[in-house]
Amino acid sequence: SCLMSEMTDYGKEFQNMIFVAGHKVTTDPLAVPFSMGRNLICIHSKKHIDADPDTKAAKQKDNLRAMSAMLKSFKQGGALLWVAPSGGRDRRNVETGQVPIAPFDSKTIDMFRLIGNKSKVPTHYYTMAMVTYDMCPPPDSVEAGTGEARNIRFVPCGIAVGDECESVGGLETRHAFCDHAFAQCEKDYQALLKAIEG
């Protein structure tokens, strides 16, 4: 949101954006400075929620509070929420060196559509493709802890907001919505890569 506040005509909107993120953004030494002063709703990811059985119940309770906070934001209207529907950072394919977009988690998208429907307030969905991998590449494998080795680089980045994704249908068409959102994001991602590579 820092970049978007500086580089667009929507500075106020981006300053008020609510980021839905994993709990590591509040504990990872590299992420903490970028999380400070941001509107965060943290969710314990399903990848890490079972890591410590002693804290699983508390994490699940935290997640229920986060869902309630999101529903409240939707009901108030005018909220701008950002979520990574693949659950986090895209990772490099070590064989090809390419950085594909990670598949979207249809359950995550379904959850946001359900919250939007429950709010009884018109909800709009947009994709946002980002080419930022080379700026601060994550490790090639997922690590449960924090403090992983990272290198920050000065490189070109790109961000593209896609057309509105119409939220139609129920359970029988939920995968179609997810597939359409992914295709839109992939199209914009490839266009950004092409523009950056010149």
Side-chain angles (χ1 to χ4, degrees):
S1 73
C2 298
L3 282 173
M4 293 180 282
S5 295
E6 299 280 326
M7 299 171 64
T8 72
D9 294 330
Y10 300 100
K12 184 177 179 184
E13 288 82 356
F14 284 118
Q15 286 174 4
N16 293 328
M17 182 186 287
I18 298 168
F19 294 89
V20 181
H23 70 286
K24 286 171 72 172
V25 300
T26 61
T27 56
D28 184 274
L30 183 64
V32 168
F34 297 100
S35 300
M36 294 173 71
R38 299 290 134 200
N39 303 310
L40 294 173
I41 295 178
C42 292
I43 295 179
H44 296 279
S45 72
K46 48 190 178 196
K47 290 177 189 171
H48 304 299
I49 202 164
D50 293 322
D52 180 7
D54 293 338
T55 60
K56 182 175 180 176
K59 290 175 183 175
Q60 289 173 325
K61 203 171 187 180
D62 288 345
N63 282 358
L64 286 174
R65 277 196 293 269
M67 298 298 163
S68 295
M70 282 189 281
L71 180 57
K72 183 179 177 183
S73 295
F74 276 56
K75 282 182 174 179
Q76 289 173 342
L80 178 60
L81 276 79
W82 179 89
V83 64
S86 55
R89 296 165 292 185
D90 298 323
R91 303 214 179 243
R92 176 175 67 113
N93 180 323
V94 292
E95 293 177 9
T96 66
Q98 301 296 310
V99 183
I101 297 176
F104 287 1
D105 180 358
S106 63
K107 289 181 182 175
T108 298
I109 291 175
D110 289 345
M111 179 191 70
F112 277 88
R113 291 179 72 199
L114 177 65
I115 292 172
N117 290 340
K118 283 180 76 174
S119 74
K120 307 288 190 218
V121 172
T123 305
H124 305 276
Y125 302 91
Y126 297 87
T127 59
M128 185 164 68
M130 298 191 301
V131 175
T132 58
Y133 177 90
D134 289 333
M135 183 172 57
C136 189
D140 291 325
S141 59
V142 178
E143 298 179 19
T146 59
E148 57 203 14
R150 304 292 292 281
N151 296 309
I152 298 174
R153 305 170 187 163
F154 184 76
V155 296
C157 296
I159 298 172
V161 177
D163 295 329
E164 182 172 0
C165 296
E166 190 177 356
S167 181
V168 294
L171 289 175
E172 70 284 355
T173 58
R174 68 181 186 207
H175 290 292
F177 179 83
C178 184
D179 293 346
H180 170 73
F182 184 86
Q184 173 72 50
C185 198
E186 175 70 24
K187 177 183 158 203
D188 291 340
Y189 181 71
Q190 293 302 327
L192 286 170
L193 286 175
K194 190 174 179 182
I196 288 170
E197 289 166 5

